[in-house]
Amino acid sequence: MKKLIIFCCIAILYSLNTNAQIDAGLFRFPDVSKTQIVFTYGNDVWIIPKNGGSAEKLSSPPGVESFPKFSPDGKTIAFTGNYDGNQDVYTIPVNGGVPQRLTQHGFTDRVVDWTNDGKQVLFASGRESGRNRFNQFYTITANGGPAEKLPFAYAEFGSYSPDGKQMAVVFVSQAFRNWKRYRGGWRANIHLYNFTNNTSQNISANEIAGSEFPMWHGDDIYFLSDRGAEERMNLWKYSVGTKKYTQLTNYKDYDIHFPSAGPDDIVYEQGGKLFLFSFASQKATTVLVNVVTDKAALKPRS
């Protein structure tokens, strides 16, 4: 009888502990630094250690926060926030603080990445596209100021080469469309643009499937494509030197969404969960995340 009482007490304590934590999913727009992962969950920005654990909320104002990106030194996060009726670029320290607004334009500004030196934030905006039907790239200093336009007529996603002299850029993206397995003429292609001589090379021209989210690491460009036998968005690699393509993941159920590269890994969401793909091992591992919340949204209201 005594053992039964002890067992019941342990079970109750365990139940209370697990109820305070949520086995959550739908971790969106993740990014990874040397030691941490940042993502959007419930329209707020959260951060966790790179090996997983309990997430901490960095932002909680009314409005949607999305597309967080670590600065190269891992000390600052740039993100798109909708605080004043418009989506603008903000930054916040990784330890929390008051978000600093960088852009002030009336059109949507979506954070794409940082420049390699960490002095500027790269973002996509339709502010000069006439009817806001396409985006272009701009940079703005980490302390704010005037935005500088990059030499692209169209641009959605991109990644600087290690020396900063080139960019792997997607001019037209299907990432925000409500259809899949698109094989038409507006499919996403990856172009290698040279800032020195203003020339570009389409490395996806011979593929009928799209290529999205380029991530330049060393001599390789990692990206998403559903060109494989699975017909799902999986992780691929293109060698700039040998021009060889290699498929790295083989998911057959759900697509990979919004991958982002850090110094040592690529983090991505698949099936609502987070995964880390190591550059060194070329293998993916699951990141376990606990989201601790007071469940304020479940409180009865009159």
Side-chain angles (χ1 to χ4, degrees):
M1 185 66 177
K2 185 177 181 181
K3 290 183 178 180
L4 179 61
I5 294 173
I6 293 174
F7 176 80
C8 291
C9 291
I10 293 174
I12 292 171
L13 289 174
Y14 178 79
S15 175
L16 290 173
N17 183 58
T18 54
N19 283 340
Q21 299 178 355
I22 296 178
D23 181 20
L26 296 178
F27 305 119
R28 307 185 70 195
F29 318 122
D31 190 31
V32 60
S33 69
K34 195 77 175 177
T35 60
Q36 296 176 300
I37 292 174
V38 66
F39 57 88
T40 294
Y41 173 74
N43 293 333
D44 293 317
V45 174
W46 299 69
I47 194 167
I48 58 169
K50 196 168 75 170
N51 58 357
S54 294
E56 297 181 13
K57 187 187 293 187
L58 287 185
S59 65
S60 58
V64 178
E65 294 92 38
S66 56
F67 301 101
K69 293 286 183 179
F70 285 107
S71 59
D73 62 7
K75 296 180 179 180
T76 308
I77 296 169
F79 66 96
T80 295
N82 187 351
Y83 294 153
D84 301 306
N86 188 65
Q87 297 184 42
D88 286 286
V89 176
Y90 291 81
T91 61
I92 190 172
V94 294
N95 294 325
V98 178
Q100 179 183 359
R101 183 174 178 176
L102 302 187
T103 62
Q104 310 286 335
H105 200 277
F107 277 64
T108 295
D109 298 327
R110 171 171 49 81
V111 170
V112 176
D113 207 346
W114 291 72
T115 55
N116 291 351
D117 58 10
K119 294 180 179 180
Q120 295 177 305
V121 177
L122 173 71
F123 66 94
S125 178
R127 58 178 62 190
E128 295 183 37
S129 66
R131 296 186 178 180
N132 197 27
R133 291 182 176 177
F134 57 88
N135 285 321
Q136 298 170 317
F137 275 174
Y138 300 82
T139 57
I140 190 167
T141 61
N143 293 321
E148 180 179 351
K149 186 178 179 181
L150 271 64
F152 305 136
Y154 310 93
E156 293 292 345
F157 296 97
S159 177
Y160 287 98
S161 62
D163 62 8
K165 296 181 180 180
Q166 299 184 77
M167 176 180 281
V169 58
V170 170
F171 296 139
V172 178
S173 173
Q174 299 296 315
F176 302 105
R177 303 296 183 183
N178 58 1
W179 57 75
K180 299 181 179 181
R181 323 303 159 217
Y182 179 72
R183 298 294 186 267
W186 282 87
R187 68 186 180 280
N189 290 321
I190 297 174
H191 296 252
L192 305 188
Y193 186 89
N194 191 310
F195 290 108
T196 303
N197 55 25
N198 292 324
T199 60
S200 66
Q201 172 193 1
N202 187 347
I203 65 172
S204 311
N206 296 325
E207 294 293 333
I208 62 171
S211 301
E212 300 268 14
F213 302 103
M215 296 163 284
W216 203 320
H217 179 80
D219 191 49
D220 298 315
I221 296 172
Y222 294 79
F223 64 96
L224 291 189
S225 180
D226 57 1
R227 68 182 68 185
E230 304 85 359
E231 293 189 345
R232 296 296 183 271
M233 279 294 187
N234 274 290
L235 193 63
W236 289 70
K237 179 174 69 174
Y238 171 81
S239 172
V240 177
T242 65
K243 301 183 178 359
K244 177 184 177 182
Y245 289 94
T246 305
Q247 185 170 356
L248 303 175
T249 64
N250 300 93
Y251 295 109
K252 298 178 181 179
D253 47 4
Y254 302 111
D255 293 314
I256 291 176
H257 297 108
F258 296 102
S260 188
D264 304 312
D265 323 81
I266 293 172
V267 64
Y268 59 84
E269 177 263 316
Q270 193 271 346
K273 304 298 183 180
L274 291 184
F275 295 84
L276 272 179
F277 182 89
S278 168
F279 291 130
S281 68
Q282 296 287 284
K283 294 181 179 180
T285 57
T286 305
V287 180
L288 299 179
V289 182
N290 285 327
V291 177
V292 181
T293 174
D294 60 4
K295 301 183 182 179
L298 300 180
K299 188 177 73 171
R301 299 181 182 180
S302 57

